[in-house]
């Protein structure tokens, strides 16, 4: 029986998984009953130490994207993947903390659709709410596909049964109140993931003969690969710049431009500054100063996460037989999807090959927790936007609270069922990172352009906002379809970067042009919504100046920036 | 645990977060994992051919026990005092589940 499965787990591994879920559900149950006011205190997030909110902040996306996507990318293209962290996430998180957060906090906006409604009215709100809901369903599908992949790898079930069971698990997790103890979960999840991925990385490096051994093996593999496998040369896999393997451009110069503008500015700034699943974590703080420090503190651990997700992917590509075959252009049998090995399997296969039972269970617990919490967050965000922003505002107004709660429950179940189908789309991608970046290009890039313009330019009009959003998304989809049809030929994530950049530019230009010929809102309605109309005292924390330097936002952000520049130079 | 659930009266000692302090929870989970992995490392299948000759369970277990000790020690030395009054948790629209009240109306 166990020989049919990808991973041989024993009772010991299941024990470790069970302990984790016992903890999480136990805290969830206690939180619902509020057996202690300490729990309420922690869940309210007020005056929690900054390291807790900082970890919760990065834990919120330390799921499918980070773990599977980054390791898949590490296996496929190697070290240039670090740009997602050192050009993408970290500068964007610092920007969020230093520039955007005071404004968000001061304006008391609590969600993206809410901002859109107050700033631009119905049109932009409707477009944004629909696109947000669709994006959540698609991303929930990614998490579900990865969750089902683990079930398949563990138990050997056919993939569609695994999908349905995984969906049922997530539904029961939401219903049992796993999310109500979210801040505990997020912090625990961070430690479990680090506790399993750090040994995995070290053992993996030990097996290939350390960092030098890894370099030698990647060089040998790249030189020995058949030409039609289109493996990037070793020099591109082992140096982060100029990163042609990531961007797909032949020219080093355009590659750097593509990475800095496409990935760094549009995708990452767009993702981190408009993704309220993350921003919400920071907004829960008790002062502007704490809200600003949350992403800045989160950026310190974030800087080092590439070492425990990308390096195992690179090790996997030269150590695991199936991955070696795949990279040489073969199509080995097996894999978590049951339809052949894909780069997404890099981490799971490495775990199978190097982790003893025990540590294996710890790693499985971490992965299951990450995907489950990730999908639960997507479904909950969908639920909120669907029930309150769409159903209540546009379809059935003025019903009782119970009515909307019922709608919310139906939406949760419906979203889970839909995710089983959107998971099929995700499974069609060999490297889930390509898919995710494509989605972010469709939804986040135009939103970021509209947001930035709307916040800093009071002349921008409601008509411009919704037209920019619609045409931005349409242009990104067009670029993606052209790339799929082979008209634009960019391997790696180049097509996604191009689609995102196009969406940003189109949205920006359309918004400016349309704004100039339509009527803006009066300035009196823009207080707290546009930078120049928000009083300065709403944006600063009077106590910040009295803190020692290591508790102030700007010096901390400066240190983080210096560290990330050193990391960029070193690799 | 009685000291964590009692409400502080007017004369009372400061009310500590105790067992629900997030550092104690982290320390407990890491400690349980650490002990299980150490036992697995000593008595279980060491799978040395997989790890390249390192007893990975044992070393990870020891590391986790050390992390656990740091967190529990930290929580002992600098306990978090729960204030007399604080804002009850609001529904976070991105992670609701059991609804205490409706998300903020827009």
């Amino acid at each position: 029986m166990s020989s049919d499965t990808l991973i041989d787990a024993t009772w010991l591994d299941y024990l470790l998984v069970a302990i984790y879920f016992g903890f999480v559900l136990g805290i969830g149950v206690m939180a619902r009953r509020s057996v202690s006011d300490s729990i309420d205190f922690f869940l309210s997030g007020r005056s929690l130490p900054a390291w807790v909110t900082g970890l919760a902040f990065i834990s919120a996306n330390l799921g499918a994207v980070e773990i599977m996507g980054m390791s898949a990318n590490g296996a496929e293209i190697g070290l240039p993947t670090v740009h997602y962290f050192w050009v993408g996430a970290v500068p964007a998180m610092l920007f969020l903390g230093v520039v955007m957060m005071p404004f968000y906090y001061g304006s008391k906006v609590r969600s993206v659709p809410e901002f859109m409604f107050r700033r631009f009215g119905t049109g932009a709100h409707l477009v944004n709410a629909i696109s947000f809901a669709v994006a959540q369903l698609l991303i929930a599908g990614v998490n579900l596909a990865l969750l089902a992949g683990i079930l398949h790898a563990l138990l050997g079930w056919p993939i569609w049964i695994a999908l349905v069971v995984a969906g049922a698990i997530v539904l029961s997790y939401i219903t049992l109140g796993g999310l109500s103890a979210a801040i505990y979960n997020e912090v625990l999840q961070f430690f479990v993931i680090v506790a399993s991925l750090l040994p995995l990385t070290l053992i993996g490096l030990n097996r290939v003969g350390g960092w030098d051994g890894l370099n030698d093996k990647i060089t040998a593999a790249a030189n020995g690969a058949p030409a039609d496998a289109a493996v990037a040369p070793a020099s591109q896999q082992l140096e982060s710049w100029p990163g042609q393997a990531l961007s797909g451009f032949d020219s080093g110069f355009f590659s750097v431009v593509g990475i800095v503008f496409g990935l760094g500015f549009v995708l990452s700034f767009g993702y981190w500054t408009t993704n309220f699943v993350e921003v919400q974590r920071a907004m829960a703080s008790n002062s502007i100063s704490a809200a600003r420090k949350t992403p800045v503190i989160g950026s310190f651990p974030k800087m080092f996460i590439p070492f425990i997700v990308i390096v195992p992917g690179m090790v996997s590509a030269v150590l695991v037989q199936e991955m070696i075959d795949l990279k040489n252009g073969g199509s080995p049998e097996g894999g978590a999807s049951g339809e052949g090995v894909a780069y997404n399997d890099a981490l799971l296969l490495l775990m199978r090959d190097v982790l003893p039972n025990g540590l294996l269970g710890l790693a499985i617990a971490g992965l299951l927790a990450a995907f489950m919490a990730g999908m639960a967050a997507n479904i909950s965000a969908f639920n909120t936007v669907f029930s309150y922003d769409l159903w209540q505002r546009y379809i059935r107004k003025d019903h009782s609270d119970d009515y909307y709660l019922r709608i919310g429950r139906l939406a949760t179940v419906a979203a889970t069922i839909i995710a089983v189908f959107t998971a099929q789309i995700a499974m069609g991608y060999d490297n889930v990172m390509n898919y995710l970046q494509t989605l972010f290009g469709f939804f986040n890039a135009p939103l970021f352009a509209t947001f930035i313009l709307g916040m800093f330019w009071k002349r921008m009009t409601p008509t411009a906002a919704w037209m920019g959003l619609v045409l931005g998304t349409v242009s990104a989809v067009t670029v993606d379809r052209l790339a799929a049809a082979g008209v634009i030929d960019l391997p790696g994530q180049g097509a996604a970067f191009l689609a995102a950049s196009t969406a940003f530019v189109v949205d920006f230009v359309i918004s400016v042009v349309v704004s100039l010929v339509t009527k803006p809102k009066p300035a009196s309605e823009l207080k707290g919504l546009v930078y120049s109309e928000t009083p300065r005292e709403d944006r600063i924390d009077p106590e910040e100046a009295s803190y020692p330097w290591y508790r102030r936002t700007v010096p901390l952000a400066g240190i983080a920036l210096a560290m990330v520049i050193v990391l960029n130079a070193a690799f | 645990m009685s000291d964590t659930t009692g409400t502080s009266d007017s004369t009372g000692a400061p009310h500590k977060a105790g067992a629900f302090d997030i550092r104690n929870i982290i320390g407990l989970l890491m400690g349980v994992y650490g002990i299980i992995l150490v036992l697995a490392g000593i008595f279980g299948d060491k799978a040395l051919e997989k790890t390249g000759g390192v007893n990975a369970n044992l070393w990870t277990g020891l590391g986790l026990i050390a992390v656990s000790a740091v967190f529990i020690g930290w929580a002992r030395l600098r306990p978090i005092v729960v204030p007399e009054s604080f804002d009850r948790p609001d529904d976070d629209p991105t992670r609701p589940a059991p609804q205490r009240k409706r998300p903020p109306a827009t």
Side-chain angles (χ1 to χ4, degrees):
Chain A
M1 165 71 196
S2 61
S3 59
D4 310 340
T5 59
L6 191 62
I7 290 178
D8 271 335
T10 62
W11 62 270
L12 180 64
D13 302 308
Y14 289 115
L15 174 69
L16 290 169
V17 174
I19 289 174
Y20 182 81
F21 288 103
F23 255 75
V24 167
L25 292 180
I27 298 168
V29 167
M30 288 190 290
R32 290 183 78 174
R33 292 193 188 148
S34 279
V35 293
S36 161
D37 54 359
S38 307
I39 289 190
D40 269 352
F41 172 69
F42 270 101
L43 293 183
S44 70
R46 303 285 155 176
S47 55
L48 272 185
W51 66 267
V52 173
T53 49
L55 287 183
F57 182 80
I58 58 169
S59 225
N61 98 326
L62 192 67
V65 191
E66 299 290 283
I67 301 174
M68 287 312 204
M70 294 298 176
S71 58
N73 239 13
E76 187 172 358
I77 62 181
L79 210 52
T81 312
V82 297
H83 293 313
Y84 279 106
F85 296 85
W86 298 340
V87 174
V90 170
M93 287 163 77
L94 298 178
F95 176 76
L96 173 65
V98 172
V99 179
M100 303 286 273
M101 198 46 102
F103 176 76
Y104 281 147
Y105 202 91
S107 69
K108 311 266 188 312
V109 173
R110 288 294 178 264
S111 75
V112 176
E114 185 188 342
F115 178 87
M116 286 293 159
F117 187 75
R118 287 175 49 198
R119 175 70 179 82
F120 297 119
T122 308
H125 174 263
L126 184 61
V127 171
N128 176 239
I130 291 174
S131 102
F132 184 82
V134 171
Q136 293 305 316
L137 289 176
L138 292 171
I139 298 170
V142 176
N143 279 309
L144 186 65
L146 294 172
L147 193 56
I150 295 184
L151 287 185
H152 173 76
L154 272 178
L155 303 167
W157 293 344
I159 197 71
W160 66 271
I161 296 185
L163 276 175
V164 171
V165 172
I169 293 175
V170 173
L171 257 188
S172 54
Y173 171 78
I174 297 175
T175 323
L176 286 171
L179 274 181
S180 55
I183 202 150
Y184 285 89
N185 294 356
E186 282 152 8
V187 177
L188 280 180
Q189 188 187 317
F190 176 83
F191 282 98
V192 172
I193 286 170
V194 173
S196 55
L197 290 187
L198 185 61
L200 178 69
T201 309
L202 295 176
I203 299 168
L205 279 177
N206 184 32
R207 280 284 300 274
V208 295
W211 183 249
D212 291 337
L214 178 63
N215 280 356
D216 294 345
K217 284 208 164 62
I218 288 179
T219 309
N223 291 339
D228 59 348
V231 173
S235 59
Q236 290 183 15
Q237 293 191 45
L238 293 167
E239 286 287 336
S240 61
W241 292 106
Q244 286 107 327
L246 178 68
S247 63
F249 288 103
D250 288 329
S251 139
F253 173 75
F254 282 112
S255 176
V256 171
V257 171
I259 288 172
V260 170
F261 183 74
L263 191 168
F265 182 66
V266 174
L267 275 172
S268 299
F269 277 52
Y271 177 83
W272 288 97
T273 53
T274 62
N275 190 325
F276 267 59
V277 175
E278 264 97 23
V279 173
Q280 194 75 34
R281 307 281 183 275
M283 302 269 284
S285 316
N286 62 343
S287 67
I288 294 187
S289 176
R292 295 179 74 191
K293 270 184 300 195
T294 295
V296 174
I297 288 177
S299 74
F300 286 95
K302 186 85 185 171
M303 250 175 249
F304 297 100
I305 287 177
F307 292 110
I308 60 168
V309 293
I310 298 172
V311 174
M314 293 166 69
V315 171
S316 181
V318 292
L319 187 65
V320 177
Q321 192 54 49
E322 285 98 325
M323 297 304 295
I324 297 173
D325 293 347
L326 176 66
K327 213 166 170 175
N328 278 331
S331 43
E333 292 285 303
S337 67
E339 292 159 6
V341 170
Y343 284 110
N344 297 334
D345 300 323
L347 203 64
L348 273 180
L349 292 173
L350 184 67
M351 283 162 47
R352 176 199 68 184
D353 279 6
V354 307
L355 289 186
N357 289 108
L359 259 180
L360 185 63
L362 193 61
I364 293 168
L367 292 182
L368 288 177
F371 303 149
M372 211 172 66
M375 180 170 165
N378 295 140
I379 300 268
S380 299
F382 170 82
N383 174 353
T384 308
V385 168
F386 181 81
S387 328
Y388 296 99
D389 283 301
L390 290 173
W391 195 266
Q392 184 175 21
R393 193 180 292 280
Y394 296 109
I395 298 176
R396 291 272 184 277
K397 287 188 178 120
D398 301 326
H399 281 56
S400 66
D401 286 2
D402 283 349
Y403 173 80
Y404 294 111
L405 278 182
R406 250 193 339 270
I407 292 291
R409 270 189 223 112
L410 287 176
T412 303
V413 176
T416 311
I417 294 169
I418 293 170
V420 171
F421 294 95
T422 55
Q424 312 281 349
I425 309 175
M427 284 192 295
Y429 282 77
D430 192 36
N431 178 340
V432 74
M433 201 65 199
N434 295 343
Y435 179 52
L436 282 165
Q437 294 305 327
T438 306
L439 289 184
F440 293 149
F442 291 175
F443 300 112
N444 288 18
L447 180 60
F448 178 54
T450 303
F451 227 87
I452 284 280
L453 266 178
M455 276 176 68
F456 291 102
W457 193 39
K458 64 181 175 185
R459 177 77 181 73
M460 186 167 175
T461 65
T463 320
W466 72 260
M467 285 185 70
L469 284 175
V470 170
L471 291 173
T473 302
V474 167
S475 66
V477 174
T478 310
V479 170
D480 178 66
R481 288 298 97 198
L482 285 178
V487 180
I488 303 169
D489 183 28
L490 286 172
Q493 271 110 48
F497 298 169
L498 185 67
S501 306
T502 309
F504 182 86
V505 171
V506 166
D507 184 310
F508 203 92
V509 170
I510 296 278
S511 299
V512 170
V513 170
V514 175
S515 287
L516 292 175
V517 297
T518 46
K519 195 169 162 293
K521 288 177 85 168
S524 58
E525 291 176 21
L526 298 177
K527 182 172 180 283
L529 298 172
V530 176
Y531 207 82
S532 59
E533 303 301 314
T534 306
R536 188 173 149 72
E537 55 271 23
D538 285 359
R539 288 188 266 118
I540 55 163
D541 188 342
E543 292 177 14
E544 171 120 359
S546 65
Y547 293 150
W549 65 269
Y550 56 85
R551 289 186 57 200
R552 288 207 303 267
T553 311
V554 175
L556 281 176
I559 296 172
L561 192 63
M563 282 169 68
V564 90
I565 288 172
V566 170
L567 284 171
N568 260 308
F571 286 93
Chain B
M1 216 156 81
S2 56
D3 65 322
T4 65
T5 49
T7 49
S8 49
D9 45 52
S10 50
T11 61
H15 171 48
K16 308 219 176 87
F20 296 109
D21 187 329
I22 203 159
R23 291 169 300 180
N24 282 328
I25 305 249
I26 296 167
L28 186 61
L29 182 67
M30 294 293 120
V32 170
Y33 276 163
I35 291 166
I36 293 176
L37 286 184
V38 166
L39 293 177
I42 296 172
F43 300 109
D45 175 11
K46 296 183 185 61
L48 294 180
E49 75 291 349
K50 278 188 174 180
T51 62
V54 183
N55 191 340
N57 277 340
L58 179 68
W59 286 108
T60 309
L62 291 175
L64 289 180
I65 290 174
V67 171
S68 160
V70 168
F71 273 100
I72 291 177
W74 181 19
R76 281 279 156 80
L77 284 176
R78 307 271 303 272
I80 287 181
V81 176
V82 177
E84 292 279 329
S85 64
F86 52 87
D87 294 341
R88 293 284 151 184
D90 212 7
D91 273 334
D92 175 343
T94 60
R95 39 185 185 195
Q99 305 267 347
R100 292 166 200 260
K101 61 182 184 198
R102 287 172 48 189
T106 51

